[in-house]
Amino acid sequence: MVNPTDFLLAVEGVSVSFDGFKAVNDLSLYIEKDELRVIIGPNGAGKTTVLDLICGRTRVDQGSIRFNNREITKMPEHEIVRLGVGRKFQTPSIYEDLTVFENLEISVPRGRSVSGALLFRRSEEVVDRVRETAREIFLEEQLDRPAGTLSHGQKQWLEIGMLLIQDPELMMLDEPVAGMSVSERVRTGELLARIARGRAVIVIEHDMKFVESIARKVTVLHQGRVLAEGRMETIQNNPKVRDVYLGH
């Protein structure tokens, strides 16, 4: 019997339907505190919807979602963010007219509320935090560049940095290497391995070579349910997984 209090995130018996179509169907998923979990599955399997449910963007029809043993199922999105859940979407969402430095600076938590933004000052502590984060996401030399002039891969890194600077306990990344070059993918794999020390990270990804390079534990979704779960080599040898997703 699974004890949900043993996990950072416990998704139990969750379902949601859109116009009669069950996008997520009685799904249960458990994430530990320092875990890097990769979720894979064919298009329409419910992967992005699961992230939408966890972060409060989509409401659960039935079931329970607990974060740090706190029920978040009915919480609004902004409250879930404050509890320590960060989400990166498929398309980079950055401020293209601002510099890399400014994008990271406005993501510092104390500047996010209206009063915090009004009282915000570019202190030495903030500058140090921005520079440290930029170094971690390979953009230390790009701090003065307008974000719109970055390559697609660099924009992906910047958005990861905008989450990272908030220091969430759970980071959810939807297709973080989409559109990246081979060398950028390798560096992103290194980045995710570092990020997952001291926090949980959920990654949705289609690039199977990248998944192989980073995966510790993989969850395979199919028709809104968990089809299989385990180490990558176990998943690759699962005949049901090969039938629906990986190919023979």
Side-chain angles (χ1 to χ4, degrees):
M1 186 75 178
V2 174
N3 182 356
T5 63
D6 293 340
F7 298 92
L8 178 70
L9 178 75
V11 178
E12 297 194 299
V14 164
S15 298
V16 67
S17 299
F18 303 114
D19 299 324
F21 170 70
K22 215 151 204 179
V24 173
N25 187 3
D26 194 26
L27 178 117
S28 293
L29 180 72
Y30 302 93
I31 307 293
E32 297 186 48
K33 285 187 183 288
D34 295 326
E35 182 176 357
L36 174 58
R37 177 73 63 90
V38 183
I39 299 178
I40 65 172
N43 289 331
K47 303 182 298 296
T48 296
T49 304
V50 169
L51 300 196
D52 288 343
L53 292 167
I54 294 167
C55 76
R57 191 179 178 89
T58 298
R59 286 275 170 247
V60 169
D61 288 343
Q62 64 183 53
S64 163
I65 303 174
R66 298 184 72 83
F67 177 71
N68 261 332
N69 202 29
R70 182 169 177 176
E71 187 73 43
I72 62 170
T73 314
K74 297 187 189 304
M75 272 190 190
E77 222 172 327
H78 67 276
E79 285 186 22
I80 294 172
V81 168
R82 283 198 194 120
L83 287 178
V85 178
R87 163 85 181 275
K88 181 201 171 305
F89 294 87
Q90 289 176 358
T91 306
S93 176
I94 59 173
Y95 301 99
E96 301 217 343
D97 294 336
L98 300 182
T99 64
V100 170
F101 187 101
E102 289 164 339
N103 269 273
L104 292 170
E105 181 182 35
I106 63 173
S107 300
V108 174
R110 62 179 179 161
R112 294 182 69 82
S113 68
V114 174
S115 59
L118 290 172
L119 298 171
F120 189 85
R121 294 290 181 270
R122 185 178 285 185
S123 66
E124 192 175 327
E125 181 189 351
V126 169
V127 172
D128 288 346
R129 192 164 172 185
V130 167
R131 292 193 179 281
E132 181 186 339
T133 302
R135 189 160 50 247
E136 192 157 9
I137 59 172
F138 319 115
L139 295 178
E140 189 179 17
E141 305 300 319
Q142 315 296 333
L143 280 170
D144 296 327
R145 272 182 72 178
T149 66
L150 297 174
S151 72
H152 180 76
Q154 289 173 323
K155 289 176 181 176
Q156 297 271 48
W157 288 339
L158 177 55
E159 189 172 18
I160 291 172
M162 290 165 73
L163 278 184
L164 196 55
I165 207 164
Q166 297 170 42
D167 197 24
E169 282 189 79
L170 171 64
M171 282 181 71
M172 303 190 295
L173 310 176
D174 204 342
E175 297 189 34
V177 297
M180 284 190 177
S181 66
V182 174
S183 63
E184 286 174 335
R185 280 201 210 67
V186 171
R187 296 183 86 184
T188 303
E190 296 167 0
L191 173 61
L192 296 188
R194 283 201 309 274
I195 286 173
R197 293 175 197 145
R199 66 169 55 80
V201 181
I202 299 174
V203 178
I204 288 177
E205 192 48 68
H206 282 292
D207 184 323
M208 294 313 297
K209 283 191 175 176
F210 180 73
V211 172
E212 285 177 37
S213 73
I214 68 164
R216 300 172 193 171
K217 187 172 183 180
V218 178
T219 298
V220 186
L221 296 190
H222 180 53
Q223 296 178 344
R225 289 177 177 269
V226 174
L227 177 70
E229 203 164 70
R231 297 177 65 83
M232 188 63 190
E233 54 268 30
T234 307
I235 295 299
Q236 287 173 314
N237 293 322
N238 185 314
K240 288 193 287 187
V241 175
R242 290 208 304 269
D243 283 343
V244 303
Y245 186 52
L246 296 173
H248 293 285

